[in-house]
Amino acid sequence: MSTPSPIRIAAVLSAEHRRRLMALAREVNFPEEAALFEEGGRADAFWIVRSGTVTLEIPMPGQRRPATVENLGSGELVGWSWLFPPYVWQLSAHAMTPVRAYEFDAERVRMLMDADPAFGSAFGHWVGRVLAHRLHDTRVRLMDLYAPRS
C-alpha cells in the first residue's frame, strides 16, 4: 500500500492556499509524447498533474534518447524554473501517457506570492521541498549507475 507523497500539493499547502492557487488554474490536456517544455526554453508556466504520467528528461551528449530524471504523476508539480530568474527550463518534460493537468501562468503566481507573503512563503517552501526531493532521487539514480560494484 502506498502513502501520499509528501511533495504532492495536497500534503503540503493548506486548503486556503490551495484555493488561492487553484483560482489561477486552467485545465489542459496533453496527448502521449507531447512536449510540455524543452530544456533552454522560456519558463513561463507550470503544471500540476491531474492524471497520467509526465517524464522529466535531460539530453545526454552522444545519445539518441535523453536520460529520464523522474516520472511524475497525480498531484505532482511539473516545472520549477519559472520561479527563478532567468526563467529558463533546466530540463525537458514530455507526456509519457495522455496527461490531464492544471496549468498556471508563472507571472500571475509570482505576483500572488509577492502580494500575499504567507502564501508566497508556503508555496516557495513547497517548491523547495519538490526540488530537494528530486535532487535526492537524481543522486540515488546516479549512484546506481556509476557507483563501483563490489
Side-chain angles (χ1 to χ4, degrees):
M1 178 175 168
S2 67
T3 59
S5 168
I7 61 166
R8 284 190 169 84
I9 190 168
V12 179
L13 293 181
S14 71
E16 176 59 20
H17 288 151
R18 286 193 313 269
R19 184 195 63 73
R20 301 221 40 218
L21 177 66
M22 295 311 293
L24 302 177
R26 180 173 81 97
E27 292 186 22
V28 295
N29 298 305
F30 296 97
E32 185 174 343
E33 298 183 15
L36 280 71
F37 54 85
E38 297 289 344
E39 179 184 28
R42 185 168 174 259
D44 56 3
F46 66 94
W47 300 263
I48 297 174
V49 177
R50 295 174 58 213
S51 66
T53 303
V54 174
T55 300
L56 297 179
E57 303 168 331
I58 188 165
M60 298 297 293
Q63 302 294 317
R64 294 180 108 183
R65 297 186 53 94
T68 296
V69 173
E70 189 164 9
N71 294 317
L72 307 175
S74 179
E76 292 190 284
L77 174 68
V78 179
W80 53 263
S81 300
W82 61 272
L83 188 54
F84 305 102
Y87 310 121
V88 174
W89 293 119
Q90 301 300 307
L91 301 170
S92 298
H94 293 88
M96 178 182 265
T97 66
V99 170
R100 294 179 350 170
Y102 294 112
E103 182 176 79
F104 299 87
D105 177 272
E107 185 173 359
R108 289 181 68 198
V109 174
R110 288 192 304 264
M111 288 171 49
L112 176 59
M113 291 174 74
D114 290 343
D116 180 347
F119 172 84
S121 177
F123 194 81
H125 280 97
W126 175 51
V127 174
R129 288 178 72 176
V130 169
L131 283 169
H133 173 79
R134 293 196 182 144
L135 181 59
H136 172 27
D137 284 359
T138 300
R139 180 176 176 265
V140 168
R141 272 195 235 32
L142 288 171
M143 289 174 62
D144 283 346
L145 288 172
Y146 299 110
R149 305 282 183 221
S150 51

